[in-house]
Amino acid sequence: FDPGRVVLASTKTDKPEPVWVAELAGATLAIDRSYAAVALAKRGGPVAERALADALGKDKFWAVRGTAALGLGAIRTTTARDTLIRALGVERHARARRMVARALGEFVQDPTAGAALATVVERGDASYFVEAEACLALGKTRSQRAGELLRLAATRESFTDVIRQHAYRGLAEARDDSATGLLVDGLRWGRITQGRRAAANALAQLIRGRRDREARDVRERIELLLADKDFRVQAAAVEALLVIADPAAVPALQRMIERELDPRLRRRGKEVIRDLGEGAPVQEELRRLRDEVGELRNLAGALRERIDRLEVPVETKKKKKKKNR
């Protein structure tokens, strides 16, 4: 149905697993192979994993290889992880390599995945964007070396400050509270806009739900950005205050609304004030639920891998019995 996805529509297609495998291996158009990779990743299992691994190693188009990598990251088995680590070292196309690094970030608390990403962050990459993606993924793995290496990466200059942006985000993902000083320094006027916005967002992620003295100081520092000369930094500060979810930020937002002429800032400021009044406790609950979902995904991946290992000997025994008959 609809080869090449040329029809403007939202569709949900369910096919038998062998059909998806054949489509991933032999469809003429890359977009059809990519959709097959996504479908197999949702199914999971050893057959889907083998098909995705083959596509990652053999497909001619970088986007299909990248989609296969993301699929292996979603499956989260040790064999999928090892396949991704090998691909990270041999993949030549920067965009596909970037997606491989992103997929490895799904292996939270996995020292092997963390070590592979740490190597990329430490040595660098020919592509700024691959190096940046590795920084964010390393933070997501919560590796013990994440804090040290991401601080090192944050000193590197790059196009649109992309490495520093992702290093800041990685520190937030790693839950590195000791990085607060570095991130506050990243807010300073004179630094590249994208990096300043990323620092504000990372600080908000780190202190979200906290009400201690350090969190108050950080919130007040972000409130100062509401009067920044850069509109984009002002907008990032508004969003950061929403993430922090502290109703004490309402007076600063009200002052911004009264002072600013830009209707976009005023409208968003009013929306954030409304949300802080209605759902401040909900933000902390969402954070807790996200962490629990991540842990459950890792557990599900480990259980799936164990089940797959148990199924193989059972199938082998059945085949032997048939032969004996």
Side-chain angles (χ1 to χ4, degrees):
F1 172 74
D2 188 22
R5 310 282 169 167
V6 294
V7 177
L8 182 60
S10 177
T11 61
K12 183 178 180 181
T13 308
D14 189 19
K15 302 178 184 179
E17 187 173 54
V19 176
W20 285 123
V21 171
E23 193 168 319
L24 176 58
T28 303
L29 299 176
I31 189 171
D32 293 326
R33 300 199 300 277
S34 294
Y35 270 91
V38 172
L40 287 169
K42 290 179 180 178
R43 282 176 173 268
V47 175
E49 184 180 331
R50 284 194 297 271
L52 290 168
D54 288 342
L56 176 58
K58 299 177 182 178
D59 200 277
K60 296 179 180 180
F61 189 48
W62 67 265
V64 178
R65 297 197 300 274
T67 306
L70 295 177
L72 290 170
I75 290 175
R76 293 186 185 86
T77 62
T78 54
T79 50
R81 178 204 64 198
D82 294 341
T83 301
L84 289 168
I85 291 173
R86 287 193 296 272
L88 187 62
V90 300
E91 175 59 57
R92 293 187 176 184
H93 200 291
R95 291 182 179 179
R97 200 160 64 250
R98 182 180 179 182
M99 296 168 84
V100 172
R102 186 183 306 166
L104 282 170
E106 297 295 327
F107 293 86
V108 182
Q109 302 289 0
D110 188 313
T112 306
L117 291 165
T119 300
V120 177
V121 174
E122 188 171 23
R123 296 179 182 176
D125 190 273
S127 166
Y128 286 143
F129 294 96
V130 174
E131 191 173 337
E133 199 69 55
C135 288
L136 177 56
L138 178 62
K140 288 181 176 180
T141 64
R142 315 277 171 83
S143 168
Q144 292 182 351
R145 298 192 65 199
E148 167 202 349
L149 292 176
L150 292 176
R151 283 172 173 78
L152 174 65
T155 64
R156 298 171 185 163
E157 302 298 329
S158 58
F159 174 70
T160 68
D161 224 14
V162 66
I163 294 177
R164 189 172 288 120
Q165 286 184 63
H166 285 67
Y168 288 163
R169 292 174 60 192
L171 288 167
E173 290 288 348
R175 305 286 195 270
D176 188 349
D177 292 330
S178 64
T180 303
L182 172 69
L183 295 171
V184 169
D185 184 65
L187 299 174
R188 286 190 296 109
W189 171 258
R191 291 186 175 273
I192 297 175
T193 293
Q194 289 90 336
R196 298 178 70 206
R197 289 152 56 192
N201 180 264
L203 281 167
Q205 295 287 340
L206 281 177
I207 69 166
R208 178 170 49 188
R210 288 170 48 186
R211 297 293 182 268
D212 54 80
R213 182 174 181 177
E214 183 183 40
R216 183 199 64 195
D217 292 342
V218 170
R219 174 180 55 76
E220 291 175 350
R221 180 66 183 83
I222 292 175
E223 287 174 358
L224 294 176
L225 297 179
L226 294 174
D228 198 85
K229 298 176 184 178
D230 189 327
F231 164 79
R232 291 170 293 180
V233 173
Q234 287 180 287
V238 173
E239 299 303 327
L241 291 173
L242 176 61
V243 172
I244 293 170
D246 188 348
V250 169
L253 288 165
Q254 288 175 332
R255 289 193 296 272
M256 182 203 71
I257 293 169
E258 295 169 359
R259 178 183 66 246
E260 292 296 329
L261 298 178
D262 193 303
R264 293 169 293 180
L265 285 174
R266 297 175 65 185
R267 181 179 64 250
R268 188 55 182 151
K270 291 176 182 178
E271 292 171 350
V272 171
I273 288 174
R274 178 201 63 202
D275 293 342
L276 289 177
E278 294 178 356
V282 176
Q283 294 293 330
E284 180 59 25
E285 183 67 14
L286 284 174
R287 179 185 182 183
R288 184 183 64 79
L289 288 174
R290 287 193 191 101
D291 289 342
E292 289 181 359
V293 168
E295 292 174 3
L296 288 172
R297 283 178 175 173
N298 292 333
L299 179 60
L303 290 173
R304 182 190 299 161
E305 188 174 6
R306 291 176 65 183
I307 291 170
D308 292 341
R309 288 176 180 172
L310 290 172
E311 286 178 348
V312 173
V314 171
E315 291 176 359
T316 306
K317 288 179 181 178
K318 288 181 179 178
K319 289 179 181 178
K320 287 182 178 179
K321 286 181 180 179
K322 288 181 180 179
K323 288 181 180 179
N324 292 333
R325 289 176 184 174

